[in-house]
Amino acid sequence: MERKSAIGDLARAAREAESKAQEWLVVLARCFQLQDAVAVLELDRVLDATPDELDGHRVGLRNARQNRLELISRCTERLLGRMEAAAGRANAKVLLNPLDSPAVVKSSNHVSTAIVNFHGRLGIEGDRQSSEARRWTDAAKEARDKALETGVDGVDAARRLGNDTFDRAKWATGKLSDRVGGWASRRRGEDNELKEKSSDA
């Protein structure tokens, strides 16, 4: 889903992830159930063969079960994170995709609900909240408000830039005027000196 740039493609990928996640959660639950059944059989065999090793074997099986739970938890949490990221991307683009964006959020919520239920059945702790599909009208109002705010900021910036430019131009004109005035008076002084020298000669 991370590679999908268009929201339509993301919606199709989210729907596909929704159906595949349901299937894989069923498979995972069945495998976990079978592992527990195998553990019970192992304990029965150890009890019959070497009863004094039963407690050590029980601790080993408990640790192995805990490791499986942690692995399942990490993998399903990653899936939840990816689905939440997809829902966030879809909500950000709801203004341009009013049909596909809510579909992505809906699929994300279905996957999240299935995983949370799966976690509950396995005894994995965690609290997950459903994403809320952003309404198109809310996105439109936010875009309008942002445009108005940007417009006001743009006008203020243009006004500041205009004032700064005018102040700089005024300052530069004053400096130039001073230089030209100094140059002109020096020039007049030089011309007067030349006239005086020529009249003395």
Side-chain angles (χ1 to χ4, degrees):
M1 285 187 292
E2 292 84 359
R3 292 188 294 267
K4 307 296 182 192
S5 56
I7 294 297
D9 294 340
L10 184 61
R12 280 188 288 283
R15 281 191 293 272
E16 187 178 328
E18 180 183 355
S19 66
K20 283 187 177 180
Q22 295 285 346
E23 292 172 16
W24 280 107
L25 287 175
V26 168
V27 169
L28 198 53
R30 183 65 179 143
C31 289
F32 196 81
Q33 185 182 32
L34 290 173
Q35 286 282 350
D36 281 351
V38 167
V40 169
L41 291 175
E42 272 188 53
L43 287 174
D44 278 347
R45 186 185 55 79
V46 170
L47 182 62
D48 286 344
T50 52
D52 51 327
E53 295 177 10
L54 183 63
D55 287 335
H57 205 74
R58 185 180 294 131
V59 169
L61 288 173
R62 187 180 311 128
N63 289 340
R65 186 178 197 273
Q66 188 59 39
N67 289 340
R68 281 194 304 275
L69 282 174
E70 288 171 7
L71 179 62
I72 289 169
S73 178
R74 279 195 307 273
C75 292
T76 52
E77 285 292 331
R78 274 199 308 266
L79 178 58
L80 281 172
R82 292 169 73 189
M83 294 305 288
E84 283 180 6
R89 282 179 51 208
N91 271 336
K93 308 244 180 179
V94 71
L95 191 60
L96 300 175
N97 301 282
L99 298 176
D100 288 332
S101 290
V104 173
V105 175
K106 182 180 176 187
S107 292
S108 172
N109 285 337
H110 283 160
V111 171
S112 296
T113 301
I115 290 174
V116 167
N117 289 340
F118 178 72
H119 282 181
R121 293 218 164 99
L122 293 182
I124 298 172
E125 295 293 320
D127 61 351
R128 181 69 62 176
Q129 301 210 349
S130 294
S131 299
E132 188 173 318
R134 189 169 172 212
R135 292 180 29 211
W136 184 88
T137 52
D138 293 340
K141 286 177 189 173
E142 185 178 309
R144 180 200 64 202
D145 293 346
K146 202 176 282 186
L148 289 173
E149 183 179 310
T150 303
V152 168
D153 290 346
V155 168
D156 288 344
R159 187 180 302 130
R160 282 192 305 275
L161 180 63
N163 289 341
D164 290 348
T165 304
F166 179 72
D167 290 343
R168 281 192 206 122
K170 199 162 110 178
W171 175 79
T173 304
K175 284 285 194 189
L176 184 62
S177 177
D178 291 345
R179 284 184 185 168
V180 168
W183 176 74
S185 46
R186 276 195 311 275
R187 183 77 175 161
R188 269 182 285 197
E190 290 170 4
D191 287 345
N192 288 340
E193 273 182 42
L194 281 174
K195 283 182 189 175
E196 286 175 17
K197 283 183 184 176
S198 58
S199 63
D200 288 342

